[in-house]
Amino acid sequence: MTLFRGMLDDAAVFPPGLMALSAALPAHAAHLTSSYAEMVGPLVLAAPMLAKLRDNGGDTSESSEADWPEVSVTAPRGPEQVAEVVAARPPVRLRGFEVAVPAESSPAEFFAALERAGTGDVPVFVEVPRDERRPSIIAACAKAGYQVKFRTGGVKAELYPDEAELAAAVRAVVDAGVPFKATAGLHHALRNTDPETGFEQHGFLNLLNAVGAALDGADETELAAVLAERDAAAVAARVSTLDAAVRARFLSFGTCSIIEPLTELAALGLVPAAVLGGQGEDA
């Protein structure tokens, strides 16, 4: 299980899960006291949701900071939202900021605004846009010590990068030495075609394997083939050879269900079935 430690960011409030915050908070707390707790990362909340925390059991006037939830905050409007969160001092332990680059913002403008936002020692993940700004954004993250975030899917087919695009992104961050996380679309361990939508979805294990291949020097064509692999035994066998160096690059991914990826990992023999404590039977 060491390979998957902290890999599952709890994005229960985001599509397609859309769990209410009042339910997501206790559910996340339960994950953190479970037999699979070591594989669970922070709760992911959009910046506007932080104002609702005190209305959903987040009144921390009589609790210590150690009792506050660990949260990674998404800022879809960019650095201005980060500055608002920093100023508001919400009752959370900030584990990260996931900051989008506004469409109208140049890399220079974006990073200047991010510097002004004052993130302190909170890790920053810059969501890399899928346009011509990508090389400059990744290079600037490497220079400034920021990490990056790739969007790997969404509610529309066009939000999914194909294998070639994602392979180029993986090659770029590995070459630059920049760690990353992924968000959206990684609903299963393996590359698949969603039966309801027809969307071609990346597998989170395929992505993990692609990072390993990139570290071994694979080119973009080879990485695209790794991302496209659908043979479960082949994917699982390759994952079993990976080490901590891969996770130092691919840090985590957001999932609206913690149990579903764990169930798939157990089915592939990559984590003990007992870690689910019977929960996988109902997933």
Side-chain angles (χ1 to χ4, degrees):
M1 297 199 318
T2 302
L3 183 65
F4 306 106
R5 183 172 292 143
M7 192 173 192
L8 308 176
D9 289 347
D10 188 352
V13 301
F14 292 89
L18 293 174
M19 183 181 288
L21 183 59
S22 57
L25 288 168
H28 183 70
H31 290 316
L32 296 180
T33 60
S34 71
S35 56
Y36 51 84
E38 68 176 280
M39 290 181 276
V40 180
L43 182 65
V44 184
L45 298 176
M49 298 190 76
L50 297 180
K52 302 178 182 179
L53 279 174
R54 289 187 175 87
D55 296 330
N56 288 277
D59 185 351
T60 57
S61 57
E62 298 183 1
S63 63
S64 68
E65 186 173 332
D67 297 321
W68 296 0
E70 293 189 339
V71 172
S72 188
V73 179
T74 68
R77 293 205 323 267
E80 66 176 85
Q81 279 188 310
V82 174
E84 291 169 3
V85 171
V86 171
R89 299 177 60 83
V92 299
R93 285 177 287 163
L94 290 169
R95 281 278 302 275
F97 285 111
E98 305 177 18
V99 192
V101 182
E104 71 281 1
S105 180
S106 71
E109 292 169 337
F110 171 81
F111 284 102
L114 189 55
E115 182 69 22
R116 291 193 299 271
T119 56
D121 59 357
V122 178
V124 173
F125 295 82
V126 176
E127 184 173 328
V128 180
R130 295 171 60 197
D131 56 31
E132 70 282 353
R133 294 174 293 172
R134 185 179 71 188
S136 297
I137 294 292
I138 292 174
C141 285
K143 183 177 180 180
Y146 297 138
Q147 298 158 111
V148 306
K149 171 180 167 181
F150 291 127
R151 188 162 293 276
T152 47
V155 295
K156 298 179 181 179
E158 59 266 28
L159 296 177
Y160 287 82
D162 62 17
E163 293 97 328
E165 181 182 344
L166 188 54
V170 169
R171 184 70 268 169
V173 290
V174 168
D175 288 344
V178 179
F180 75 96
K181 66 166 54 180
T183 186
L186 295 174
H187 300 300
H188 297 285
L190 304 176
R191 172 77 183 194
N192 67 94
T193 304
D194 185 83
E196 295 184 5
T197 64
F199 296 169
E200 295 296 316
Q201 296 181 336
H202 294 289
F204 63 84
L205 292 184
N206 294 78
L207 183 53
L208 196 64
N209 279 336
V211 174
L215 288 170
D216 288 339
D219 63 22
E220 291 180 19
T221 300
E222 293 168 316
L223 297 182
V226 173
L227 290 168
E229 178 62 69
R230 295 172 185 250
D231 184 284
V235 171
R238 190 163 190 161
V239 168
S240 68
T241 69
L242 301 178
D243 58 24
V246 177
R247 284 300 316 285
R249 301 301 184 94
F250 179 15
L251 300 177
S252 64
F253 69 96
T255 175
C256 61
S257 169
I258 297 295
I259 297 302
E260 288 178 5
L262 289 176
T263 301
E264 294 191 13
L265 288 172
L268 290 166
L270 294 170
V271 300
V275 78
L276 289 165
Q279 295 193 59
E281 298 172 3
D282 301 321

